Every structure is written in C-alpha cells, then in structure tokens.
Amino acid sequence: MQHLDEIVFDRASAQVAFDGGTFAGEAADAAEERTDGSRSWRWSGLTLSLTVGADGIHTVTVHNGGGKDIRLKSFSLEWRPVRGGPNLDAREYVQLQHPSTFEGLAGVRPIHRPNDWSDPADESGMVTVLSRRRPGEALLLGALPPYGDCFVGFPILHEHTHRDGAFGIAARLNVPRRLAAGESLTLAHLIALHGTDGVALLDRYASLLRERLPASLFPERRMTGWNSWDYYAGAVAEEDLVVNARAARDRWGAGALDYIVIDEGYERQWGVWEAGWKFPSGLKTFCDRIRETGSEPGIWTAPLLVNVYTPLYRDHPDWFVGDADGNPYVASMGYGSMVLLDITHPDVRAHLRSTFAELRAAGFTYFKCDFAQYLMGASRFYRDDVTPAGMIRELFVLIRETIGEDAYLLACGAPYESVVGIANAHRTTGDTHHYWSHIRQNIRSMLARWWMQGSVGNADPDFAIVRCESTTDDRRLSRRLAKSPWRRGGNFYTGREMNEEEAKTLLLACYAGGGDMVFSDALPLLNERGLGLLDAMLQEPVDRGVPLNLFDWDGDDLPIVEAQGKGRKLLVLFNLSDDYRSARLPAAYAGLKGAHEEFWTRERVDMLEGGDIVMGPHSAKAWWVASESET
C-alpha cells in the first residue's frame, strides 16, 4: 500500500478469534468475491460475510453453519503492510484517536510514537481518521448505526515493534459471546471514506450518522443547566440546589436554565437511589421546589452499580455479574466497593424499571446515567448470548422506555456505540475541574469529537465553570483536594487552580462547540466578574464549531474553530501551549473588513488582523465576524 485510497474493503484479509484458536483469511476453507465487491470467508462451518450496499456501506454478518455452539472473541478485517512493496510510512501520518468512552482522551496523535496523552497501542473506537501531513491525503474508517452486538475498534498494524516504519490498519469487531448452532448475527455497518481533508471526511461521516437515526432523538436546541457536582460533589445537600436554582432565576430569569441537576451525594447508598439524610424533604418535594424556580429537576444515577454494603446485594447475590473465576466482579471506587447489576437477568430488569419509574414519578425529567462502561470489565453473566455492547444497549433502551421519550437522557460514560440512537446527549470529555490540567485535555477531546454535536444528539462537554481568585469571593474555591506538581501527561488535579484567562479559554471552547451548556459553580459565591462571564454563555447559541486545522501540524497547540451563528460567524483562536505563540487567522479572515465584534467586550472591530497575533499561554481570542464583509 502506497496511498490511503488503497485501503478498501475488497482488499481486506479476514481473521477470526474464538475459544480454541484463530483462523486467518489466508487459511480459510474458501474465500469468495462477487462483482459488487461483497466477500465471504468460511472456516469449518463459520461464515463471515461482507455485503456492500448501493450507498457504499459494508454490512458485516456472521453465520454458524456448524452443529455446535461457538464462543466467539473477535473478527478482524485487516490491511497489513506488504512485504517488499511500497507502504505507508508511520512518520508521515497522524491518527484521530476516538476512544469508545469519554474516559479515554481523544485527539489527533502521531502514528509512530506516544505523546503526553496517548500510546500508539491504544485503538480508536467507532471511527478513526488517518491523515498524511504533506501532501494532504486522508482516510476515514467508521461504524454506522444500527450498531450490532459488538464494539468496533481500529488498531494500527505496525510492521516492526519499534513502530517507526511501515504500517497498516484493521477494523476489529470485538464479539465475546456464544453464537448458537444455526444462528446468524449482523455485527456492524462499516464505511471507508477517502479524501484530502480529514475534517471534511468527519463532516460526511456525521451526515451519514444523522441520516440513520430517528429525527425524534435530536433536541431542537442545546440544553442549558446547572449541576451540583463540580463544586459540591458528594457533600451536596438539598438547600444547596435550591439556593443555586433561585440564584440562577434571579440572575437570568425563570427557566433560563432548562435543568437543575442533582449529582452524586443525595442517595442513601449507591444502588439505592432514594433521598438520604441530606435531602430531608424527599425527592418529590425537592422536584417541586426546583420547578417553582422555572427550571426542571434532573438527577444523576449509576444504574448498574451497587455498594456491597446494601441489603440489595446481600439478598440478591444472583443479580450481579462475575469475573472470569466465577467470583463477584467488584469495582473499587472512591465511594467504596461496588458490584454491578446483570441486565441480562429478568429480575434485574424488573428492579431497574421500578427504580426509574419511581424517579420519573417523583418529577425528574432529566436523567444523567453514569458508569455503565464498568460492565466491560466483567466476564460472567446470566446470559452468554449477548456481549457487553448489547447489554449496555439493553440497559439504556429499558431506561428510555421507562422515563419516556419526553425526558432528557444523558449517557455519561457509556460506550458510544451502545447508546447512539437512544440518548439525547453524550459526554465527550473527561471530568472538568478548575485546573488547567483538566481544561487542556478536555478542549482537545471536545475538538476531536466536534462532529458528534448534532449528528448523534447533543454533545455534553461536562461543565462550564469560572471560579478562580478573580471571579469569586469564596477563598476555598472548592472542596479541599490533593494537588500534585505539573507532570508529563498529568491531567487530574495537576498543578495550580485555573486563572481567569484559562477560565475564559474553557468557556469559549464550550460555547463554540454548540453543545449543552451546564454550569457547576456555586452561583451565589461568584462575584459580578464571574457572573458576567457566564452571562456570555447564555447568549444566542451557535451551530457546532468546526476545528479548521485539526489535522495540521499546529492544530494541537493552536486550534482554530469556526462556528455559524445567526447571520454571523464566531471565530476562535486558541493557544493551548505553555508558552507565547504566534497565530494567524485563516486566509479567508485575514484583513477582512466589516462591523465585527470582539467576543467578550463587544467592542467593534473594523478589520481583522492579517499578520501574526501573539497569544499568551493558555489563552483564546474570539470575534463575531459580520456576514457582510469585504477584504
């Protein structure tokens, strides 16, 4: 392979892994190819078929034609380097890394070496883009809905262990489940797109996603709200939410924030999603109190997780998933040891329906569902004919059916392939806190997942927060946290708390993304400077922001984002590096004349700068660009 356009499905080799062995495509009993590009491979009664539709989407199916059940592990479609032939050079390419959940950092990374946030051995999930630095050449491989009972990953296949030479790529379908004799299964719908611009390919992929999803899934606009977690965390009490809901109403008017969301801390114990001692009025009365301020009440749950010190776990030991040795699968968390409910057990399904029906009856209309991804660490279940991908989808379908189509459902932590088409919003970043170490990593993930906004629902970039020494009169800033010095790759409570310039950089990234806008500071403790920054976040929203230079050599440190507003555009320049840098406007904007505005001050700018713009570290500059302009 010399060019990316040679990576096409009719040139792929196939491999299957199952309990007992691995079969490669070259060793198949038979391989067939038809004139329409469809292919099939057969291994001792097991058939893998690749059928291409008129739209260029390839459907992958598997059939067990033998007389015995088979325990599958994975299927792979591979494009390996050709020995002795011209190949792709790992040093010339970068890859869009899109992990299957928000816990993995997203971004554009080198093919051949690790960087601060990613390792080449980590595979991208659901979609990836390979982009050649010079000249422009790009390939997108992606999975499309309806998603089958598997997770799709795209590992890089290096010719050498040093990774600094020829490489190929694979589409790996992870299917840890039993396939019964005579059973057929549709695993995935895959697409390969070629072009010169990776950003344009992602835009095409986003359009294909939206076309294959129900229109009723998409909210008419972004959601706005306030969430208790970032400031109060598990120490939250009922009055904290009521006070903040009233502060939001007094500042921005009744209903300006769609939802006031109670996060972790209200419950009796994890798994017992009832009001604890810090919410003495009960959840129904709490919902009534929030609704009086003009906002709707929302609630956080971790639907599958149950604390080991609950009667629920003691009385129903068969309701929980296990590990490979048959022991209970236990997740150790800061909140204690947790076991996970087995969604494939009929009694668990009834229990979860009852739980969410009670929360809906209490008055909640927003549901933030967290930690479903922990199920992927378990290996024993009540049923063995479904993978964790299918189990998590069954969980969210059950929740959606119970809370109703009119409730707002945020998938927080669930693998995207399991919840696309079910949830209204999807978390696209890691946890945000008031540290630059969090902000830097999260802006990278926001930009790498820009295409999700409006294509799978709303994007949730976690929280837009402003508290720092100049924006709040609260000297504590937050709960007391352990801090560590800045270190390579550190992205959790590393370094100092953010300053105002860094807060504005975070806010601009959240705003320009066009997704949900959720505040999480203690609003009554912010001063006028801090509240004024949040005021700007509630002005007329923009469409999803497009990172124009995502795959360029300077796209990681100096991203440029363009977003469409009503009758004008928003242009944002970021300097995410730790030093002063010179940035330049795109050619279409440099020297542009018109009635432009600086974003924060609203001061008129008659002509945009055409030369180098010196930007301080951890900063951003933004302008509203008039629609009627001239160069």
Side-chain angles (χ1 to χ4, degrees), residues 6 35 69 90 107 129 153 161 223 244 246 267 316 330 364 371 374 448 498 503 517-518 525 549 581 602 614:
E6 296 182 47
T35 55
D69 294 357
V129 175
T161 55
M223 183 275 293
N244 277 275
R246 291 171 177 168
E267 69 283 349
H316 303 284
V330 180
F364 292 105
F371 291 113
Y374 274 57
M498 68 185 181
M517 183 65 63
V518 182
L525 299 179
N549 60 338
R581 298 287 296 272
R602 291 301 183 92
V614 178

Side-chain angles (χ1 to χ4, degrees), residues 68-87:
K68 296 180 180 180
D69 294 357
I70 300 174
R71 299 201 64 86
L72 299 173
K73 291 182 178 179
S74 67
F75 292 94
S76 293
L77 299 173
E78 300 181 345
W79 296 268
R80 291 189 173 273
V82 178
R83 180 171 297 179
N87 286 298

Side-chain angles (χ1 to χ4, degrees), residues 101-102 368 370 410-414 416 425-432 442 449 452 458-463:
T101 76
F102 79 79
K368 178 181 179 180
D370 206 350
L410 166 63
C412 181
Y416 300 118
H426 304 265
R427 178 77 167 274
T428 57
T429 72
D431 284 356
T432 297
N442 283 348
R449 294 181 170 130
M452 295 182 69
N458 279 348
D460 172 58
D462 206 24
F463 305 132

